[in-house]
Amino acid sequence: MTVVASGQSGAGVTSDVPRAFPWPGLAFIPVRDAPRVDWALAWRTGDNNPLTRAFTQAATETAPPSSTTPSGG
């Protein structure tokens, strides 16, 4: 968002970004006919960071039933 706010770039973001990260001086313009965006988690293979594990577990536990379960790396 800093690069966008500086005028050097634009960015495509999901509809939750304006609510989660309100940014003075930026305009968020909905693209009503855009396809749905699916999210995925990615991390380095062999990453044993407990924060990565905790985040992955929390995301998996709160994901809608139709979501794919992470493969673990």
Side-chain angles (χ1 to χ4, degrees):
M1 299 275 95
T2 301
V3 175
V4 174
S6 75
Q8 298 177 50
S9 181
V13 298
T14 59
S15 61
D16 58 335
V17 171
R19 291 185 307 274
F21 305 102
W23 202 282
L26 291 186
F28 293 90
I29 303 166
V31 180
R32 305 240 184 255
D33 59 348
R36 180 188 142 121
V37 174
D38 291 318
W39 288 94
L41 297 176
W43 58 91
R44 294 183 312 272
T45 302
D47 185 344
N48 294 319
N49 185 320
L51 294 176
T52 302
R53 284 185 202 270
F55 180 77
T56 302
Q57 182 176 351
T60 301
E61 290 172 356
T62 59
S66 62
S67 296
T68 302
T69 303
S71 65

Short mmCIF file of all heavy atoms in Angstrom, two decimals:
data_model
loop_
_atom_site.label_atom_id
_atom_site.label_comp_id
_atom_site.label_asym_id
_atom_site.label_seq_id
_atom_site.Cartn_x
_atom_site.Cartn_y
_atom_site.Cartn_z
N MET A 1 0.82 -1.19 0.00
CA MET A 1 0.00 0.00 0.00
C MET A 1 0.87 1.26 0.00
O MET A 1 0.47 2.28 -0.54
CB MET A 1 -0.94 0.00 1.20
CG MET A 1 -1.90 -1.16 1.24
SD MET A 1 -3.40 -0.95 0.29
CE MET A 1 -3.14 -1.65 -1.23
N THR A 2 2.06 1.15 0.59
CA THR A 2 2.95 2.31 0.61
C THR A 2 3.35 2.72 -0.80
O THR A 2 3.36 3.91 -1.13
CB THR A 2 4.21 2.00 1.45
OG1 THR A 2 3.79 1.66 2.77
CG2 THR A 2 5.14 3.19 1.51
N VAL A 3 3.66 1.74 -1.65
CA VAL A 3 4.05 2.04 -3.03
C VAL A 3 2.87 2.64 -3.78
O VAL A 3 3.03 3.60 -4.54
CB VAL A 3 4.58 0.78 -3.73
CG1 VAL A 3 4.87 1.05 -5.19
CG2 VAL A 3 5.83 0.26 -3.04
N VAL A 4 1.67 2.10 -3.57
CA VAL A 4 0.48 2.65 -4.22
C VAL A 4 0.26 4.09 -3.75
O VAL A 4 0.02 4.99 -4.55
CB VAL A 4 -0.76 1.77 -3.93
CG1 VAL A 4 -2.01 2.43 -4.50
CG2 VAL A 4 -0.57 0.38 -4.51
N ALA A 5 0.35 4.33 -2.44
CA ALA A 5 0.14 5.67 -1.90
C ALA A 5 1.17 6.66 -2.42
O ALA A 5 0.88 7.85 -2.54
CB ALA A 5 0.17 5.63 -0.37
N SER A 6 2.36 6.16 -2.77
CA SER A 6 3.40 7.06 -3.29
C SER A 6 3.15 7.45 -4.74
O SER A 6 3.84 8.31 -5.29
CB SER A 6 4.78 6.40 -3.16
OG SER A 6 4.93 5.38 -4.15
N GLY A 7 2.20 6.78 -5.40
CA GLY A 7 1.90 7.08 -6.79
C GLY A 7 2.73 6.28 -7.77
O GLY A 7 2.64 6.49 -8.97
N GLN A 8 3.53 5.34 -7.30
CA GLN A 8 4.41 4.57 -8.17
C GLN A 8 3.73 3.34 -8.78
O GLN A 8 4.28 2.71 -9.68
CB GLN A 8 5.63 4.10 -7.39
CG GLN A 8 6.49 5.23 -6.86
CD GLN A 8 7.65 4.70 -6.04
OE1 GLN A 8 8.37 3.83 -6.48
NE2 GLN A 8 7.81 5.24 -4.85
N SER A 9 2.56 2.97 -8.25
CA SER A 9 1.94 1.75 -8.69
C SER A 9 0.45 1.76 -8.37
O SER A 9 -0.04 2.62 -7.64
CB SER A 9 2.61 0.56 -7.97
OG SER A 9 2.05 -0.66 -8.37
N GLY A 10 -0.24 0.78 -8.88
CA GLY A 10 -1.61 0.47 -8.50
C GLY A 10 -1.60 -0.96 -8.01
O GLY A 10 -0.59 -1.66 -8.15
N ALA A 11 -2.67 -1.43 -7.47
CA ALA A 11 -2.71 -2.81 -6.98
C ALA A 11 -4.13 -3.35 -7.04
O ALA A 11 -5.09 -2.63 -6.78
CB ALA A 11 -2.20 -2.88 -5.55
N GLY A 12 -4.23 -4.61 -7.38
CA GLY A 12 -5.50 -5.31 -7.28
C GLY A 12 -5.55 -5.96 -5.91
O GLY A 12 -4.62 -6.65 -5.52
N VAL A 13 -6.61 -5.72 -5.18
CA VAL A 13 -6.75 -6.30 -3.84
C VAL A 13 -8.15 -6.88 -3.70
O VAL A 13 -9.05 -6.54 -4.46
CB VAL A 13 -6.48 -5.25 -2.73
CG1 VAL A 13 -5.06 -4.72 -2.80
CG2 VAL A 13 -7.47 -4.10 -2.79
N THR A 14 -8.33 -7.73 -2.71
CA THR A 14 -9.64 -8.30 -2.47
C THR A 14 -10.53 -7.29 -1.75
O THR A 14 -10.05 -6.30 -1.19
CB THR A 14 -9.54 -9.59 -1.64
OG1 THR A 14 -8.90 -9.29 -0.41
CG2 THR A 14 -8.74 -10.65 -2.39
N SER A 15 -11.83 -7.56 -1.73
CA SER A 15 -12.78 -6.60 -1.19
C SER A 15 -12.66 -6.38 0.31
O SER A 15 -13.18 -5.40 0.84
CB SER A 15 -14.21 -7.04 -1.52
OG SER A 15 -14.48 -8.30 -0.93
N ASP A 16 -11.96 -7.26 1.02
CA ASP A 16 -11.81 -7.08 2.46
C ASP A 16 -10.68 -6.11 2.82
O ASP A 16 -10.62 -5.63 3.94
CB ASP A 16 -11.60 -8.41 3.17
CG ASP A 16 -10.39 -9.17 2.66
OD1 ASP A 16 -9.98 -8.95 1.50
OD2 ASP A 16 -9.87 -10.01 3.41
N VAL A 17 -9.81 -5.78 1.89
CA VAL A 17 -8.67 -4.92 2.20
C VAL A 17 -9.08 -3.52 2.67
O VAL A 17 -8.55 -3.03 3.67
CB VAL A 17 -7.69 -4.85 1.00
CG1 VAL A 17 -6.62 -3.78 1.21
CG2 VAL A 17 -7.02 -6.21 0.81
N PRO A 18 -10.03 -2.84 2.02
CA PRO A 18 -10.39 -1.50 2.51
C PRO A 18 -10.91 -1.50 3.95
O PRO A 18 -10.67 -0.55 4.69
CB PRO A 18 -11.48 -1.04 1.55
CG PRO A 18 -11.32 -1.86 0.34
CD PRO A 18 -10.73 -3.17 0.79
N ARG A 19 -11.59 -2.57 4.34
CA ARG A 19 -12.08 -2.65 5.73
C ARG A 19 -10.95 -2.98 6.70
O ARG A 19 -10.88 -2.46 7.79
CB ARG A 19 -13.18 -3.71 5.84
CG ARG A 19 -14.46 -3.34 5.13
CD ARG A 19 -15.56 -4.37 5.37
NE ARG A 19 -15.18 -5.74 5.05
CZ ARG A 19 -15.26 -6.29 3.84
NH1 ARG A 19 -15.71 -5.55 2.83
NH2 ARG A 19 -14.92 -7.54 3.63
N ALA A 20 -10.08 -3.89 6.30
CA ALA A 20 -9.01 -4.34 7.18
C ALA A 20 -7.86 -3.33 7.26
O ALA A 20 -7.22 -3.21 8.30
CB ALA A 20 -8.48 -5.69 6.71
N PHE A 21 -7.59 -2.64 6.17
CA PHE A 21 -6.46 -1.71 6.11
C PHE A 21 -6.87 -0.38 5.49
O PHE A 21 -6.42 -0.04 4.40
CB PHE A 21 -5.32 -2.32 5.28
CG PHE A 21 -4.87 -3.65 5.76
CD1 PHE A 21 -5.26 -4.81 5.10
CD2 PHE A 21 -4.07 -3.76 6.89
CE1 PHE A 21 -4.84 -6.05 5.55
CE2 PHE A 21 -3.66 -5.00 7.34
CZ PHE A 21 -4.04 -6.15 6.68
N PRO A 22 -7.73 0.38 6.15
CA PRO A 22 -8.10 1.68 5.58
C PRO A 22 -6.86 2.54 5.41
O PRO A 22 -5.99 2.56 6.29
CB PRO A 22 -9.06 2.27 6.62
CG PRO A 22 -8.86 1.49 7.86
CD PRO A 22 -8.28 0.16 7.48
N TRP A 23 -6.74 3.17 4.27
CA TRP A 23 -5.53 3.93 3.96
C TRP A 23 -5.94 5.31 3.47
O TRP A 23 -6.44 5.45 2.35
CB TRP A 23 -4.73 3.21 2.89
CG TRP A 23 -3.29 3.58 2.85
CD1 TRP A 23 -2.76 4.72 2.32
CD2 TRP A 23 -2.20 2.84 3.35
NE1 TRP A 23 -1.41 4.73 2.46
CE2 TRP A 23 -1.03 3.57 3.09
CE3 TRP A 23 -2.09 1.62 4.01
CZ2 TRP A 23 0.23 3.13 3.46
CZ3 TRP A 23 -0.83 1.18 4.36
CH2 TRP A 23 0.31 1.93 4.09
N PRO A 24 -5.70 6.34 4.27
CA PRO A 24 -6.07 7.70 3.83
C PRO A 24 -5.41 8.05 2.50
O PRO A 24 -4.23 7.78 2.28
CB PRO A 24 -5.53 8.59 4.95
CG PRO A 24 -5.35 7.70 6.13
CD PRO A 24 -5.05 6.33 5.57
N GLY A 25 -6.19 8.64 1.62
CA GLY A 25 -5.66 9.08 0.34
C GLY A 25 -5.71 8.04 -0.76
O GLY A 25 -5.38 8.34 -1.89
N LEU A 26 -6.12 6.80 -0.46
CA LEU A 26 -6.25 5.79 -1.50
C LEU A 26 -7.72 5.56 -1.80
O LEU A 26 -8.57 5.58 -0.91
CB LEU A 26 -5.64 4.45 -1.05
CG LEU A 26 -4.13 4.39 -0.92
CD1 LEU A 26 -3.69 2.96 -0.62
CD2 LEU A 26 -3.43 4.90 -2.16
N ALA A 27 -8.01 5.33 -3.06
CA ALA A 27 -9.37 4.99 -3.48
C ALA A 27 -9.42 3.51 -3.78
O ALA A 27 -8.56 2.98 -4.49
CB ALA A 27 -9.74 5.79 -4.72
N PHE A 28 -10.39 2.82 -3.22
CA PHE A 28 -10.61 1.41 -3.50
C PHE A 28 -11.86 1.33 -4.37
O PHE A 28 -12.96 1.67 -3.93
CB PHE A 28 -10.82 0.62 -2.20
CG PHE A 28 -9.58 0.57 -1.35
CD1 PHE A 28 -9.33 1.54 -0.39
CD2 PHE A 28 -8.66 -0.46 -1.51
CE1 PHE A 28 -8.19 1.49 0.40
CE2 PHE A 28 -7.52 -0.52 -0.73
CZ PHE A 28 -7.28 0.45 0.23
N ILE A 29 -11.69 0.91 -5.61
CA ILE A 29 -12.78 0.89 -6.57
C ILE A 29 -13.16 -0.56 -6.86
O ILE A 29 -12.34 -1.33 -7.36
CB ILE A 29 -12.37 1.61 -7.88
CG1 ILE A 29 -11.94 3.04 -7.55
CG2 ILE A 29 -13.50 1.57 -8.90
CD1 ILE A 29 -11.21 3.73 -8.67
N PRO A 30 -14.39 -0.96 -6.52
CA PRO A 30 -14.77 -2.36 -6.75
C PRO A 30 -14.85 -2.69 -8.23
O PRO A 30 -15.28 -1.87 -9.05
CB PRO A 30 -16.15 -2.47 -6.11
CG PRO A 30 -16.57 -1.11 -5.72
CD PRO A 30 -15.43 -0.16 -5.92
N VAL A 31 -14.41 -3.89 -8.58
CA VAL A 31 -14.57 -4.43 -9.93
C VAL A 31 -15.66 -5.49 -9.80
O VAL A 31 -15.43 -6.60 -9.37
CB VAL A 31 -13.25 -5.05 -10.44
CG1 VAL A 31 -13.42 -5.61 -11.84
CG2 VAL A 31 -12.12 -4.01 -10.39
N ARG A 32 -16.86 -5.10 -10.14
CA ARG A 32 -18.03 -5.93 -9.85
C ARG A 32 -18.10 -7.22 -10.66
O ARG A 32 -18.68 -8.19 -10.22
CB ARG A 32 -19.29 -5.11 -10.08
CG ARG A 32 -19.30 -3.83 -9.26
CD ARG A 32 -20.47 -3.79 -8.33
NE ARG A 32 -20.52 -2.50 -7.63
CZ ARG A 32 -20.15 -2.35 -6.36
NH1 ARG A 32 -19.72 -3.37 -5.67
NH2 ARG A 32 -20.20 -1.17 -5.78
N ASP A 33 -17.51 -7.25 -11.85
CA ASP A 33 -17.62 -8.46 -12.67
C ASP A 33 -16.35 -9.32 -12.62
O ASP A 33 -16.18 -10.22 -13.43
CB ASP A 33 -17.97 -8.10 -14.12
CG ASP A 33 -16.94 -7.20 -14.77
OD1 ASP A 33 -16.07 -6.66 -14.06
OD2 ASP A 33 -17.02 -7.02 -16.00
N ALA A 34 -15.47 -9.06 -11.67
CA ALA A 34 -14.25 -9.87 -11.54
C ALA A 34 -14.59 -11.24 -10.96
O ALA A 34 -15.53 -11.38 -10.18
CB ALA A 34 -13.26 -9.16 -10.62
N PRO A 35 -13.82 -12.25 -11.36
CA PRO A 35 -14.08 -13.58 -10.79
C PRO A 35 -13.72 -13.63 -9.31
O PRO A 35 -12.93 -12.81 -8.82
CB PRO A 35 -13.17 -14.51 -11.60
CG PRO A 35 -12.12 -13.62 -12.17
CD PRO A 35 -12.74 -12.25 -12.31
N ARG A 36 -14.28 -14.59 -8.60
CA ARG A 36 -14.00 -14.79 -7.19
C ARG A 36 -12.50 -15.05 -6.99
O ARG A 36 -11.85 -15.67 -7.81
CB ARG A 36 -14.80 -16.00 -6.71
CG ARG A 36 -14.62 -16.32 -5.28
CD ARG A 36 -15.31 -17.64 -4.98
NE ARG A 36 -14.49 -18.36 -4.05
CZ ARG A 36 -14.91 -18.76 -2.87
NH1 ARG A 36 -16.14 -18.54 -2.50
NH2 ARG A 36 -14.12 -19.40 -2.07
N VAL A 37 -11.98 -14.59 -5.88
CA VAL A 37 -10.57 -14.80 -5.55
C VAL A 37 -10.47 -15.87 -4.47
O VAL A 37 -11.13 -15.78 -3.44
CB VAL A 37 -9.92 -13.49 -5.03
CG1 VAL A 37 -8.51 -13.73 -4.55
CG2 VAL A 37 -9.95 -12.43 -6.11
N ASP A 38 -9.67 -16.89 -4.72
CA ASP A 38 -9.41 -17.91 -3.72
C ASP A 38 -8.03 -17.65 -3.12
O ASP A 38 -7.11 -17.22 -3.81
CB ASP A 38 -9.44 -19.30 -4.35
CG ASP A 38 -10.84 -19.70 -4.78
OD1 ASP A 38 -11.79 -19.44 -4.02
OD2 ASP A 38 -10.97 -20.26 -5.88
N TRP A 39 -7.92 -17.90 -1.82
CA TRP A 39 -6.67 -17.70 -1.10
C TRP A 39 -5.97 -19.03 -0.87
O TRP A 39 -6.62 -20.07 -0.76
CB TRP A 39 -6.92 -17.03 0.25
CG TRP A 39 -7.31 -15.61 0.12
CD1 TRP A 39 -8.57 -15.10 0.07
CD2 TRP A 39 -6.44 -14.50 0.00
NE1 TRP A 39 -8.53 -13.74 -0.06
CE2 TRP A 39 -7.23 -13.34 -0.11
CE3 TRP A 39 -5.05 -14.36 -0.03
CZ2 TRP A 39 -6.68 -12.07 -0.24
CZ3 TRP A 39 -4.52 -13.09 -0.16
CH2 TRP A 39 -5.32 -11.97 -0.27
N ALA A 40 -4.67 -18.98 -0.75
CA ALA A 40 -3.89 -20.17 -0.42
C ALA A 40 -2.75 -19.74 0.49
O ALA A 40 -2.26 -18.61 0.40
CB ALA A 40 -3.33 -20.81 -1.68
N LEU A 41 -2.36 -20.61 1.36
CA LEU A 41 -1.19 -20.37 2.21
C LEU A 41 0.02 -21.01 1.55
O LEU A 41 -0.08 -22.10 1.00
CB LEU A 41 -1.38 -20.98 3.60
CG LEU A 41 -2.52 -20.43 4.43
CD1 LEU A 41 -2.63 -21.22 5.74
CD2 LEU A 41 -2.30 -18.96 4.72
N ALA A 42 1.15 -20.36 1.63
CA ALA A 42 2.40 -20.91 1.10
C ALA A 42 3.51 -20.58 2.08
O ALA A 42 3.53 -19.52 2.69
CB ALA A 42 2.70 -20.31 -0.27
N TRP A 43 4.43 -21.51 2.24
CA TRP A 43 5.58 -21.29 3.11
C TRP A 43 6.72 -22.15 2.62
O TRP A 43 6.54 -23.05 1.81
CB TRP A 43 5.25 -21.57 4.58
CG TRP A 43 4.75 -22.96 4.85
CD1 TRP A 43 5.51 -24.06 5.18
CD2 TRP A 43 3.41 -23.41 4.80
NE1 TRP A 43 4.71 -25.16 5.35
CE2 TRP A 43 3.40 -24.79 5.12
CE3 TRP A 43 2.20 -22.79 4.53
CZ2 TRP A 43 2.25 -25.54 5.16
CZ3 TRP A 43 1.05 -23.56 4.57
CH2 TRP A 43 1.08 -24.90 4.89
N ARG A 44 7.92 -21.84 3.10
CA ARG A 44 9.11 -22.57 2.68
C ARG A 44 9.04 -24.03 3.14
O ARG A 44 8.65 -24.31 4.27
CB ARG A 44 10.38 -21.93 3.25
CG ARG A 44 10.67 -20.55 2.71
CD ARG A 44 11.98 -20.00 3.26
NE ARG A 44 12.11 -20.13 4.70
CZ ARG A 44 11.69 -19.26 5.61
NH1 ARG A 44 11.09 -18.16 5.21
NH2 ARG A 44 11.87 -19.45 6.89
N THR A 45 9.45 -24.93 2.28
CA THR A 45 9.52 -26.34 2.65
C THR A 45 10.47 -26.49 3.83
O THR A 45 11.54 -25.90 3.86
CB THR A 45 10.05 -27.17 1.47
OG1 THR A 45 9.17 -26.97 0.37
CG2 THR A 45 10.13 -28.64 1.81
N GLY A 46 10.07 -27.26 4.81
CA GLY A 46 10.92 -27.49 5.98
C GLY A 46 10.87 -26.38 7.00
O GLY A 46 11.64 -26.39 7.96
N ASP A 47 10.00 -25.39 6.83
CA ASP A 47 9.89 -24.30 7.80
C ASP A 47 9.32 -24.84 9.10
O ASP A 47 8.19 -25.31 9.13
CB ASP A 47 9.00 -23.19 7.25
CG ASP A 47 8.94 -21.96 8.14
OD1 ASP A 47 9.34 -22.04 9.31
OD2 ASP A 47 8.50 -20.91 7.65
N ASN A 48 10.10 -24.80 10.16
CA ASN A 48 9.66 -25.32 11.46
C ASN A 48 9.29 -24.21 12.43
O ASN A 48 9.20 -24.44 13.63
CB ASN A 48 10.75 -26.21 12.07
CG ASN A 48 10.94 -27.47 11.25
OD1 ASN A 48 9.97 -28.06 10.79
ND2 ASN A 48 12.18 -27.87 11.05
N ASN A 49 9.07 -23.01 11.92
CA ASN A 49 8.73 -21.88 12.77
C ASN A 49 7.39 -22.14 13.44
O ASN A 49 6.38 -22.39 12.78
CB ASN A 49 8.66 -20.62 11.91
CG ASN A 49 8.43 -19.37 12.73
OD1 ASN A 49 7.66 -19.38 13.68
ND2 ASN A 49 9.07 -18.30 12.34
N PRO A 50 7.33 -22.08 14.78
CA PRO A 50 6.07 -22.33 15.47
C PRO A 50 4.97 -21.33 15.10
O PRO A 50 3.78 -21.66 15.13
CB PRO A 50 6.42 -22.23 16.95
CG PRO A 50 7.82 -21.79 17.05
CD PRO A 50 8.43 -21.84 15.68
N LEU A 51 5.33 -20.11 14.72
CA LEU A 51 4.32 -19.14 14.31
C LEU A 51 3.68 -19.55 12.98
O LEU A 51 2.47 -19.37 12.78
CB LEU A 51 4.93 -17.74 14.19
CG LEU A 51 5.41 -17.13 15.51
CD1 LEU A 51 6.09 -15.79 15.25
CD2 LEU A 51 4.25 -16.96 16.47
N THR A 52 4.49 -20.10 12.08
CA THR A 52 3.95 -20.60 10.82
C THR A 52 2.96 -21.72 11.08
O THR A 52 1.87 -21.75 10.53
CB THR A 52 5.08 -21.09 9.89
OG1 THR A 52 5.99 -20.02 9.66
CG2 THR A 52 4.54 -21.58 8.56
N ARG A 53 3.35 -22.65 11.94
CA ARG A 53 2.46 -23.77 12.28
C ARG A 53 1.17 -23.27 12.93
O ARG A 53 0.08 -23.73 12.59
CB ARG A 53 3.14 -24.72 13.25
CG ARG A 53 4.16 -25.59 12.63
CD ARG A 53 4.67 -26.55 13.73
NE ARG A 53 5.96 -27.07 13.41
CZ ARG A 53 6.18 -28.18 12.72
NH1 ARG A 53 5.15 -28.87 12.30
NH2 ARG A 53 7.39 -28.57 12.46
N ALA A 54 1.28 -22.34 13.85
CA ALA A 54 0.10 -21.82 14.56
C ALA A 54 -0.83 -21.10 13.59
O ALA A 54 -2.06 -21.27 13.65
CB ALA A 54 0.53 -20.89 15.69
N PHE A 55 -0.26 -20.28 12.71
CA PHE A 55 -1.09 -19.57 11.74
C PHE A 55 -1.79 -20.54 10.80
O PHE A 55 -2.99 -20.42 10.54
CB PHE A 55 -0.25 -18.57 10.94
CG PHE A 55 -1.06 -17.82 9.92
CD1 PHE A 55 -1.88 -16.78 10.31
CD2 PHE A 55 -1.02 -18.16 8.59
CE1 PHE A 55 -2.65 -16.09 9.39
CE2 PHE A 55 -1.78 -17.49 7.65
CZ PHE A 55 -2.59 -16.44 8.06
N THR A 56 -1.04 -21.54 10.32
CA THR A 56 -1.62 -22.54 9.42
C THR A 56 -2.75 -23.31 10.10
O THR A 56 -3.80 -23.53 9.52
CB THR A 56 -0.53 -23.52 8.95
OG1 THR A 56 0.50 -22.78 8.31
CG2 THR A 56 -1.08 -24.54 7.98
N GLN A 57 -2.53 -23.68 11.36
CA GLN A 57 -3.57 -24.40 12.10
C GLN A 57 -4.81 -23.53 12.28
O GLN A 57 -5.93 -23.98 12.06
CB GLN A 57 -3.04 -24.85 13.45
CG GLN A 57 -4.07 -25.64 14.24
CD GLN A 57 -3.52 -26.17 15.54
OE1 GLN A 57 -2.33 -26.10 15.81
NE2 GLN A 57 -4.40 -26.71 16.37
N ALA A 58 -4.61 -22.26 12.67
CA ALA A 58 -5.75 -21.36 12.87
C ALA A 58 -6.51 -21.15 11.56
O ALA A 58 -7.74 -21.17 11.54
CB ALA A 58 -5.27 -20.03 13.44
N ALA A 59 -5.78 -20.97 10.47
CA ALA A 59 -6.43 -20.76 9.17
C ALA A 59 -7.20 -22.00 8.74
O ALA A 59 -8.32 -21.91 8.23
CB ALA A 59 -5.39 -20.38 8.12
N THR A 60 -6.61 -23.16 8.96
CA THR A 60 -7.27 -24.41 8.60
C THR A 60 -8.53 -24.63 9.41
O THR A 60 -9.57 -25.04 8.89
CB THR A 60 -6.31 -25.59 8.80
OG1 THR A 60 -5.14 -25.37 7.99
CG2 THR A 60 -6.94 -26.91 8.40
N GLU A 61 -8.47 -24.33 10.70
CA GLU A 61 -9.62 -24.54 11.57
C GLU A 61 -10.77 -23.58 11.28
O GLU A 61 -11.92 -23.89 11.56
CB GLU A 61 -9.19 -24.41 13.03
CG GLU A 61 -8.32 -25.56 13.50
CD GLU A 61 -7.72 -25.34 14.88
OE1 GLU A 61 -7.93 -24.25 15.47
OE2 GLU A 61 -7.04 -26.25 15.35
N THR A 62 -10.47 -22.41 10.74
CA THR A 62 -11.52 -21.42 10.49
C THR A 62 -11.94 -21.36 9.02
O THR A 62 -12.84 -20.60 8.68
CB THR A 62 -11.06 -20.01 10.93
OG1 THR A 62 -9.88 -19.66 10.22
CG2 THR A 62 -10.81 -19.97 12.42
N ALA A 63 -11.29 -22.15 8.16
CA ALA A 63 -11.62 -22.14 6.73
C ALA A 63 -13.00 -22.73 6.50
O ALA A 63 -13.42 -23.64 7.22
CB ALA A 63 -10.57 -22.94 5.96
N PRO A 64 -13.71 -22.23 5.51
CA PRO A 64 -15.00 -22.82 5.16
C PRO A 64 -14.82 -24.29 4.78
O PRO A 64 -13.76 -24.68 4.30
CB PRO A 64 -15.46 -22.01 3.96
CG PRO A 64 -14.65 -20.78 3.96
CD PRO A 64 -13.37 -21.12 4.66
N PRO A 65 -15.84 -25.12 4.96
CA PRO A 65 -15.73 -26.55 4.68
C PRO A 65 -15.30 -26.88 3.26
O PRO A 65 -14.66 -27.89 3.03
CB PRO A 65 -17.15 -27.08 4.92
CG PRO A 65 -17.79 -26.06 5.79
CD PRO A 65 -17.14 -24.75 5.49
N SER A 66 -15.59 -26.02 2.30
CA SER A 66 -15.24 -26.33 0.90
C SER A 66 -13.78 -26.02 0.58
O SER A 66 -13.30 -26.31 -0.50
CB SER A 66 -16.14 -25.54 -0.05
OG SER A 66 -15.95 -24.15 0.14
N SER A 67 -13.05 -25.43 1.51
CA SER A 67 -11.65 -25.08 1.27
C SER A 67 -10.77 -26.31 1.30
O SER A 67 -11.07 -27.30 1.94
CB SER A 67 -11.15 -24.08 2.32
OG SER A 67 -11.86 -22.87 2.22
N THR A 68 -9.64 -26.21 0.60
CA THR A 68 -8.66 -27.29 0.56
C THR A 68 -7.76 -27.19 1.79
O THR A 68 -7.31 -26.13 2.14
CB THR A 68 -7.81 -27.18 -0.71
OG1 THR A 68 -8.69 -27.22 -1.83
CG2 THR A 68 -6.82 -28.32 -0.80
N THR A 69 -7.48 -28.31 2.41
CA THR A 69 -6.59 -28.34 3.55
C THR A 69 -5.16 -28.22 3.09
O THR A 69 -4.76 -28.86 2.11
CB THR A 69 -6.77 -29.67 4.32
OG1 THR A 69 -8.14 -29.77 4.70
CG2 THR A 69 -5.89 -29.73 5.55
N PRO A 70 -4.32 -27.40 3.74
CA PRO A 70 -2.92 -27.25 3.35
C PRO A 70 -2.19 -28.58 3.37
O PRO A 70 -2.49 -29.46 4.18
CB PRO A 70 -2.33 -26.29 4.40
CG PRO A 70 -3.50 -25.66 5.05
CD PRO A 70 -4.67 -26.59 4.89
N SER A 71 -1.20 -28.70 2.49
CA SER A 71 -0.45 -29.95 2.40
C SER A 71 0.71 -30.03 3.36
O SER A 71 1.36 -31.04 3.48
CB SER A 71 0.07 -30.14 0.96
OG SER A 71 1.00 -29.12 0.67
N GLY A 72 1.03 -28.91 4.03
CA GLY A 72 2.12 -28.93 5.00
C GLY A 72 3.45 -28.50 4.45
O GLY A 72 4.49 -28.75 5.03
N GLY A 73 3.47 -27.79 3.35
CA GLY A 73 4.75 -27.30 2.87
C GLY A 73 4.72 -27.10 1.45
O GLY A 73 5.27 -26.67 0.66
#
